[in-house]
Amino acid sequence: MTSAPLGFSGAGQIINLGTNNGVMSSTVTTIVLPAEALRSAADTTAEEVVYLDQPPTRRFTGRQHELAAIREVLSAQRAGPGVSAVVVHGLGGVGKSTLARQYTQTFRETYDLVWWIDASSPGKIEEALAGIARLLSPVWAGTAQQPELTSWALAWLQRHTKWLLVYDNVEDPALLRPFLGSLGGGHHLITSRLADDWDDLGAAEGALLPLGVLPQGEAADLLWSWVSEWDPSDESRWETGQLARELDGLPLALDQAGAYLRRTRTTVAAYRGRLGLHLSRTAAGRDPQQTVARIWQVTLTAIAADDPSAVELLYALAWLNPDECPRDLVTRLAPDEIAADDALGVLHAYSMITFAWRDVRVHRLVQSVLRADAITAAQRAHQG
């Protein structure tokens, strides 16, 4: 897929991506911005604007090498044309988005504007960029349509340099090419499960950063940050290290296990027994979904004891948008608003969901486990 560069010397081009029978396609729509709007984009400043999908976690552990690697690539001086971009790629549950949030937290003072973009599907990038115009130029934005807002935001980004765009959960690199090709003044941080199809990124050497599971020591420290709050004994510390190894150092599994332990005050030794894991099992060849499934089986039992309706709600969330499920929609899935709030509170306490403004979010790996279980249960019921 090829696209023309975006230009704003009197007129802006915005790439609107769509689908044609399931195949990605692109069309170019020329948006003519008024001269006043272009001057506004050039003259408007941003000061410490940070827009994220959710705050960085206070339990962030390790990853110092990865943070330094991202910073080194993004801040390197370029000898010629190109784009300052890093692609953090890895399996689901390894903490790609968490690392991106932590980068914004660690280096936020070096940017005038940090903007988080859900880039999982066509159209979301344009909509997210339009939010920049709504924030920085609210008076003009109040009378403009989304294509104009996106054009204004792109014009602003072209005329300023101290900004960072975070494209989260990119499933099709082609969606980014129009933007990376025209916005060379700031920094781009990308998270994706894809390790390939980034050849024409136009970024510097080292722009592809593979992210794996946490090393044993860092995994144990992350889990210990949950357990030590209520059981700081030496025995518990040792058991925590063993559990971290048995969970393959997968950050998502570690956080869900930690949330369960904190919520139920179960000893780590007892929890290990419930998981049915053994020290002889290594991380080699393990499927992250299987690891999360083991966590989920134990956690779901505890959730059902706390609030049976929370289990039903969780299964419903498995089939909805994982990133932007409006809370008012979730409320309609429960008997009433109070029941919905109670159920969501239980699910959040066990780290099965997170909140982003008025949206409810479920990790895609958790959704996969829940869907697989629901399908298996349906098949057994049909065969029986």
Side-chain angles (χ1 to χ4, degrees), residues 33 41 43 47 66 92 105 109 112 117 135 144 159 174 221 287 294 333 352:
L33 292 177
D43 297 339
E47 296 182 5
E66 289 83 354
Q105 176 71 14
E109 293 183 358
D112 292 333
I117 299 171
L135 180 67
R159 286 161 168 76
D221 288 342
D287 182 357
R294 290 177 178 272
L333 299 175
M352 300 300 286

Side-chain angles (χ1 to χ4, degrees), residues 262-340:
R262 184 185 64 177
R263 177 79 173 183
T264 63
R265 295 297 193 264
T266 304
T267 66
V268 182
Y271 183 70
R272 291 178 61 206
R274 294 175 187 178
L275 288 178
L277 299 172
H278 303 283
L279 289 176
S280 60
R281 304 188 68 170
T282 66
R286 294 288 293 279
D287 182 357
Q289 184 163 321
Q290 294 178 352
T291 302
V292 172
R294 290 177 178 272
I295 296 291
W296 167 82
Q297 290 170 358
V298 177
T299 299
L300 202 64
T301 301
I303 293 175
D306 274 1
D307 186 348
S309 66
V311 177
E312 298 178 6
L313 186 59
L314 184 60
Y315 272 106
L317 288 170
W319 302 94
L320 300 177
N321 188 324
D323 298 314
E324 297 177 348
C325 184
R327 186 157 179 169
D328 56 355
L329 171 61
V330 176
T331 299
R332 292 198 292 270
L333 299 175
D336 54 58
E337 185 174 354
I338 295 177

Side-chain angles (χ1 to χ4, degrees), residues 4-14 31 38 155 158-159 182:
L6 308 187
F8 295 93
S9 56
Q13 292 180 327
I14 174 174
I31 304 299
L38 290 173
Q158 285 194 333
R159 286 161 168 76
S182 64

Side-chain angles (χ1 to χ4, degrees), residues 32-305:
V32 180
L33 292 177
E36 180 182 354
L38 290 173
R39 286 195 299 271
S40 172
D43 297 339
T44 299
T45 59
E47 296 182 5
E48 298 184 6
V49 174
V50 179
Y51 172 75
L52 300 179
D53 64 333
Q54 60 189 67
T57 175
R58 65 182 181 89
R59 298 183 186 278
F60 186 85
T61 302
R63 304 296 200 195
Q64 297 307 309
H65 172 76
E66 289 83 354
L67 287 171
I70 294 173
R71 185 60 187 170
E72 180 179 1
V73 173
L74 292 181
S75 60
Q77 293 291 328
R78 299 194 302 275
V83 57
S84 294
V86 172
V87 179
V88 180
H89 63 88
L91 296 172
V94 297
K96 301 181 294 295
S97 300
T98 300
L99 178 64
R101 294 187 199 98
Q102 188 62 29
Y103 176 85
T104 68
Q105 176 71 14
T106 304
F107 298 102
R108 61 183 300 171
E109 293 183 358
T110 65
Y111 297 105
D112 292 333
L113 179 140
V114 176
W115 206 258
W116 190 277
I117 299 171
D118 174 9
S120 60
S121 61
K124 289 189 174 182
I125 298 177
E126 290 90 337
E127 172 58 30
L129 290 173
I132 296 177
R134 294 188 183 99
L135 180 67
L136 298 184
S137 185
V139 176
W140 176 79
T143 59
Q145 301 299 313
Q146 180 185 313
E148 296 172 310
L149 297 176
T150 304
S151 292
W152 189 96
L154 292 171
W156 187 92
L157 292 167
Q158 285 194 333
R159 286 161 168 76
H160 299 81
T161 58
K162 293 181 64 177
W163 51 260
L164 168 69
L165 299 182
V166 182
Y167 308 86
D168 189 39
N169 194 39
V170 175
E171 298 184 356
D172 183 1
L175 299 180
L176 301 186
R177 290 172 189 152
F179 305 101
L180 296 181
S182 64
L183 301 176
H187 294 169
H188 305 265
L189 180 56
I190 302 160
T191 74
S192 178
R193 290 177 292 180
L194 302 176
D196 301 320
D197 299 329
W198 301 103
D199 294 340
D200 59 348
L201 184 65
E205 182 179 356
L208 295 180
L209 178 64
L211 191 66
V213 298
L214 286 170
Q216 170 60 21
E218 294 177 2
D221 288 342
L222 175 57
L223 190 55
W224 182 242
S225 71
W226 290 90
V227 177
S228 61
E229 294 178 0
W230 60 278
D231 184 7
S233 66
D234 291 342
E235 178 183 0
S236 180
R237 176 63 168 170
W238 184 87
E239 292 281 358
T240 297
Q242 305 312 304
L243 177 57
R245 179 182 293 110
E246 293 163 353
L247 294 179
D248 303 332
L250 187 69
L252 176 62
L254 294 166
D255 276 333
Q256 291 186 342
Y260 175 93
L261 291 166
R262 184 185 64 177
R263 177 79 173 183
T264 63
R265 295 297 193 264
T266 304
T267 66
V268 182
Y271 183 70
R272 291 178 61 206
R274 294 175 187 178
L275 288 178
L277 299 172
H278 303 283
L279 289 176
S280 60
R281 304 188 68 170
T282 66
R286 294 288 293 279
D287 182 357
Q289 184 163 321
Q290 294 178 352
T291 302
V292 172
R294 290 177 178 272
I295 296 291
W296 167 82
Q297 290 170 358
V298 177
T299 299
L300 202 64
T301 301
I303 293 175

